Amino acid sequence: MTDSTPVGRVAAALEDAGYQRIANGLRVGELKFQFPAAFVKANSSAELIVVADIASESETQLTRKVDGVARALDIASSTRSLTLVVTGPRPSASALETLGRVCRVLPTGTIMGADGDQVLKNWLAVLLPLSLPKPESVAGNSLARIHVAAQSLDETIKRLIDVASLGEGAVSKELYSIIDAAAIQAQEKTI
């Protein structure tokens, strides 16, 4: 069963992106901090992400906890950057400013509707890996559009476009032959 709470949805999105949830609460040195969820990236990132629900605690409490984590990381000489994901109602501007002094703050707002997961991914985009389109589908469509647009171009440009589907080597070879032909033509005109 999936957790449909805002914190649960954030946790699921981060876990899907390869973040590991910190079990048994967040510990920095000898201090233990209580957050609904905390994450680190498995191997490649020195980022610590804590998730809080502003609906279940006051802005003042949250500010104190996050400030405590930031100070504990400093005292421990940690190189981890701190990111706070805030679910629920948007914190006040002054709370966001105060929190933003010690960490990166990503307020997600209220996650509702059928497109809630996509909206959440947009809010968390800075933490999630990029998803690029498949190269073969892009290359095929782009090349077809280029061929259509090339109908009104010079013959030498059309030759380059025609060999583009064969790869970089074919384009380089064709470009060299075009340059050689132009150089020979220029030399013949001067004689």
Side-chain angles (χ1 to χ4, degrees), residues 48-71:
L48 171 63
I49 301 168
V50 292
V51 182
D53 188 355
I54 199 72
S56 66
E57 62 186 318
S58 72
E59 291 178 351
T60 305
Q61 291 171 322
L62 178 60
T63 302
R64 285 182 185 149
K65 282 194 328 187
V66 171
D67 192 40
V69 171
R71 287 177 190 228

Side-chain angles (χ1 to χ4, degrees), residues 29-52:
E30 296 295 319
L31 299 174
K32 188 169 183 174
F33 299 93
Q34 293 298 319
F35 285 93
F39 296 88
V40 292
K41 190 73 173 182
N43 297 323
S44 61
S45 175
E47 183 156 26
L48 171 63
I49 301 168
V50 292
V51 182

Side-chain angles (χ1 to χ4, degrees), residues 151-189:
Q151 298 308 314
S152 63
L153 297 176
D154 181 71
E155 281 302 314
T156 55
I157 303 297
K158 283 184 188 178
R159 287 185 5 221
L160 280 175
I161 292 171
D162 288 340
V163 298
S165 62
L166 302 175
E168 181 182 341
V171 172
S172 294
K173 187 176 179 181
E174 186 63 30
L175 184 58
Y176 287 136
S177 75
I178 291 170
I179 292 170
D180 288 344
I184 291 171
Q185 246 183 353
Q187 192 175 31
E188 289 175 354
K189 286 182 181 178

Side-chain angles (χ1 to χ4, degrees), residues 34-180:
Q34 293 298 319
F35 285 93
F39 296 88
V40 292
K41 190 73 173 182
N43 297 323
S44 61
S45 175
E47 183 156 26
L48 171 63
I49 301 168
V50 292
V51 182
D53 188 355
I54 199 72
S56 66
E57 62 186 318
S58 72
E59 291 178 351
T60 305
Q61 291 171 322
L62 178 60
T63 302
R64 285 182 185 149
K65 282 194 328 187
V66 171
D67 192 40
V69 171
R71 287 177 190 228
L73 289 170
D74 281 345
I75 291 169
S77 299
S78 175
T79 59
R80 290 194 183 274
S81 62
L82 179 60
T83 298
L84 170 66
V85 178
V86 182
T87 64
R90 186 174 181 85
S92 67
S94 64
L96 288 173
E97 182 181 338
T98 302
L99 290 165
R101 289 183 186 141
V102 295
C103 68
R104 174 172 50 183
V105 183
L106 300 176
T108 61
T110 306
I111 306 163
M112 298 171 50
D115 64 341
D117 288 336
Q118 185 58 45
V119 170
L120 178 62
K121 285 181 182 177
N122 289 341
W123 281 327
L124 299 176
V126 71
L127 300 174
L128 305 177
L130 292 175
S131 58
L132 301 174
K134 302 221 185 293
E136 58 274 355
S137 66
V138 172
N141 291 339
S142 297
L143 202 51
R145 287 193 308 259
I146 290 171
H147 276 291
V148 169
Q151 298 308 314
S152 63
L153 297 176
D154 181 71
E155 281 302 314
T156 55
I157 303 297
K158 283 184 188 178
R159 287 185 5 221
L160 280 175
I161 292 171
D162 288 340
V163 298
S165 62
L166 302 175
E168 181 182 341
V171 172
S172 294
K173 187 176 179 181
E174 186 63 30
L175 184 58
Y176 287 136
S177 75
I178 291 170
I179 292 170
D180 288 344

